Amino acid sequence: MIKRVVLGALFGVLTVLGTGCGDECVDQFDCRDKGVAPAGQEWICNADNKCELQNLVFPPEEDAGTEVDAGTEVDAGTEVDAGTEVDAGTEVDAGTEVDAGMNVAKGGACTASAECMAGLRCEAATCQSLLIAVTGNDGGTRALVTEYDVPGMTSLSADGVASAYPRFGPDGAQVAFVQGDVTAAAGELAVRPVPLTATAPTVLTTGTASSSTRIRYMEWEPGNLITWVRGSTGISTIAATGGSPTQATVNGTFPDLAPNGTDYAYSAAGNGIYVSTGGGAPAPLAGSPTSGEQPHYNRTTSQLLFLANPDNLTVTFGTDTTPVLRLYSLPVTGGGTPALLADRTSENATGGTVDSYIANPNWAPDGSWVAYVRAYYQNVGGAATLCGNAGATLCGTTPGNVIFLQRVNTTTGAADGAPVKLADNATLPSFSPDGQLVAYVFGGALYVQPIDPATGQPTGTLIQHPKDTYTVLTNEGDDYRPRWQPR
């Protein structure tokens, strides 16, 4: 079985601090007295209970190859969303161009979010900052929310209670997350109202009650049902008001919901991308390769974004093997020939090559831009090391991770022009619902970069959320991608 490279196995030790007897740390929290880590790195507590630096270079996501491949078989009649389409009057504003109506500043009076400037939504008749949800760590894992432009994160779970994977509901008035034992079946799926109140979270179900497996790869907005993967394979749903969970599929992972909140796509190991339309049984997306994974809808066009490895090319990091993924788009209605948006690369260097693969893609809401991470590594005689790590001597100053934006033809789904570099040594890019801001994680901290929707170039002031109480996590890939509150 092909493995995805995992953080601990892939990222070599850069510096081991301290010698002698006794434990220096028991977890990452104990390493805070080492001070702020250099850009692109973080302090961790290793297996020898010593604080050490690791690079924050992000590999492809967790192995979808562990799924139970059950073809197109599904639980009859159980689609991911129970036929509740998004009200055309309340749809997320997917335009990435500056709307002439978006002119009310923060704190100004409003009747609809379309009146508010970028990054704001109309709430309680005033334009207020959109929230961003992430998973962080302060000695324990925490589901967090913060205003995009005001540093200061709030945990969704009670003090001392682990939580992860926060996801907003379609109207932005609720946020779901997993709390308790977030890495096992005892984890609880809970919801809280937004803005946050003193009200305790409402528990909807647990992994034990719904499937005896861990709740992960969760999604909600724009659907009316909360969707998740049971452990490593198979999709379940539950209403935000509670009730009994429904098994939607017996296989698959990485579920993503279409703009109507009813259709959905997912990937099945060795079988590629599956799509359910109009509540029907999922079927392979015509033209998608069997290696396709991690599908993403945008809010406007018919193009579906996904990663694939059609050449079956792999690279070995230590003892772990990972596919060299490329980025494609393909019409979700009718399929066809995938359009290549970002290819793998390889450049000769003395003693080997410096190569790259694609990870963590995400659409702009209107499908006019896609953000992705290009991960660079050196390859010497078949042995690979990510750039930025000790031993990656062929890389020179090439960073391990680079976030790019690629303009996309909204009619054909093809790349339009050259990619635009957004940030070095950063990962998990996520567009705001108005398409004018990109959130990402750099050095364990959340950053938000305004962009020019016409050119994709960074513009305005980069917003930094200091890594003080919480370190924003990245090691579970798309599960940890920042999620924006809908407008």
Side-chain angles (χ1 to χ4, degrees):
M1 180 182 72
I2 292 176
K3 297 181 179 179
R4 293 288 189 275
V5 179
V6 295
L7 189 69
L10 177 58
F11 301 156
V13 175
L14 295 183
T15 308
V16 177
L17 300 178
T19 58
C21 299
D23 292 343
E24 187 175 42
C25 59
V26 294
D27 57 30
Q28 187 179 42
F29 187 75
D30 292 335
C31 298
R32 293 199 305 171
D33 60 0
K34 298 295 181 184
V36 177
Q41 299 178 5
E42 66 176 344
W43 289 108
I44 62 99
C45 185
N46 66 19
D48 296 322
N49 299 110
K50 302 292 184 182
C51 293
E52 65 185 29
L53 285 169
Q54 284 190 340
N55 280 17
L56 285 165
V57 180
F58 191 76
E61 299 182 27
E62 197 164 315
D63 187 9
T66 58
E67 300 167 9
V68 177
D69 181 9
T72 60
E73 182 183 357
V74 296
D75 191 17
T78 57
E79 65 270 11
V80 167
D81 193 333
T84 54
E85 301 221 354
V86 176
D87 185 334
T90 60
E91 288 183 337
V92 173
D93 180 9
T96 60
E97 295 191 7
V98 176
D99 188 331
M102 293 171 59
N103 54 18
V104 180
K106 186 174 180 178
C110 59
T111 58
S113 292
E115 302 169 7
C116 300
M117 289 182 173
L120 307 178
R121 66 181 248 137
C122 190
E123 194 168 279
T126 60
C127 292
Q128 301 180 23
S129 299
L130 289 171
L131 300 177
I132 296 178
V134 296
T135 301
N137 185 289
D138 64 348
T141 305
R142 306 282 182 256
L144 307 166
V145 294
T146 182
E147 293 181 74
Y148 90 91
D149 58 346
V150 181
M153 298 191 178
T154 301
S155 176
L156 295 174
S157 55
D159 290 347
V161 177
S163 55
Y165 317 129
R167 307 288 189 264
F168 290 103
D171 61 0
Q174 286 183 297
V175 59
F177 56 99
V178 180
Q179 68 176 9
D181 191 354
V182 299
T183 62
E188 300 173 333
L189 175 56
V191 295
R192 287 189 67 174
V194 177
L196 300 178
T197 67
T199 304
T202 300
V203 176
L204 303 181
T205 189
T206 67
T208 301
S210 62
S211 56
S212 295
T213 54
R214 175 184 177 187
I215 297 173
R216 58 192 317 203
Y217 300 119
M218 190 167 68
E219 298 296 344
W220 188 359
E221 184 270 331
N224 282 348
L225 299 179
I226 302 172
T227 303
W228 72 91
V229 173
R230 302 183 302 274
S232 62
T233 185
I235 298 166
S236 289
T237 67
I238 194 170
T241 53
S244 298
T246 297
Q247 178 176 302
T249 72
V250 298
N251 73 314
T253 188
F254 298 112
D256 199 64
L257 292 158
N260 63 12
T262 302
D263 300 346
Y264 62 96
Y266 65 93
S267 53
N271 289 280
I273 307 299
Y274 281 71
V275 175
S276 170
T277 304
L285 176 59
S288 65
T290 56
S291 62
E293 61 177 81
Q294 302 175 48
H296 292 281
Y297 288 91
N298 61 64
R299 293 292 183 262
T300 304
T301 77
S302 67
Q303 302 294 332
L304 195 73
L305 192 69
F306 64 92
L307 295 168
N309 181 26
D311 301 328
N312 199 31
L313 182 65
T314 61
V315 62
T316 301
F317 296 88
T319 60
D320 293 308
T321 302
T322 190
V324 179
L325 295 169
R326 304 152 118 181
L327 181 61
Y328 297 88
S329 69
L330 184 64
V332 73
T333 52
T337 301
L340 180 63
L341 296 179
D343 203 354
R344 57 183 173 85
T345 63
S346 182
E347 296 184 4
N348 291 326
T350 303
T353 58
V354 176
D355 303 335
S356 73
Y357 54 75
I358 308 301
N360 308 123
N362 190 236
W363 278 117
D366 71 346
S368 64
W369 290 94
V370 60
Y372 61 87
V373 174
R374 183 176 291 280
Y376 291 93
Y377 61 96
Q378 73 170 32
N379 196 338
V380 179
T385 305
L386 281 171
C387 294
N389 280 271
T393 56
L394 305 187
C395 294
T397 59
T398 301
N401 275 8
V402 180
I403 294 177
F404 287 98
L405 303 185
Q406 173 63 60
R407 190 164 186 83
V408 178
N409 184 307
T410 55
T411 300
T412 65
D416 183 4
V420 177
K421 180 188 285 191
L422 185 72
D424 287 338
N425 294 312
T427 190
L428 300 180
S430 180
F431 283 94
S432 62
D434 51 40
Q436 298 188 44
L437 302 162
V438 179
Y440 59 84
V441 183
F442 171 77
L446 176 67
Y447 286 69
V448 180
Q449 175 65 65
I451 64 169
D452 180 345
T455 65
Q457 292 288 344
T459 184
T461 303
L462 176 66
I463 301 166
Q464 305 179 38
H465 292 252
K467 185 178 65 175
D468 41 31
T469 302
Y470 300 102
T471 296
V472 180
L473 300 178
T474 61
N475 60 298
E476 291 196 27
D478 196 65
D479 250 9
Y480 283 166
R481 174 171 52 86
R483 265 37 176 218
W484 287 82
Q485 182 183 27
R487 290 190 89 210

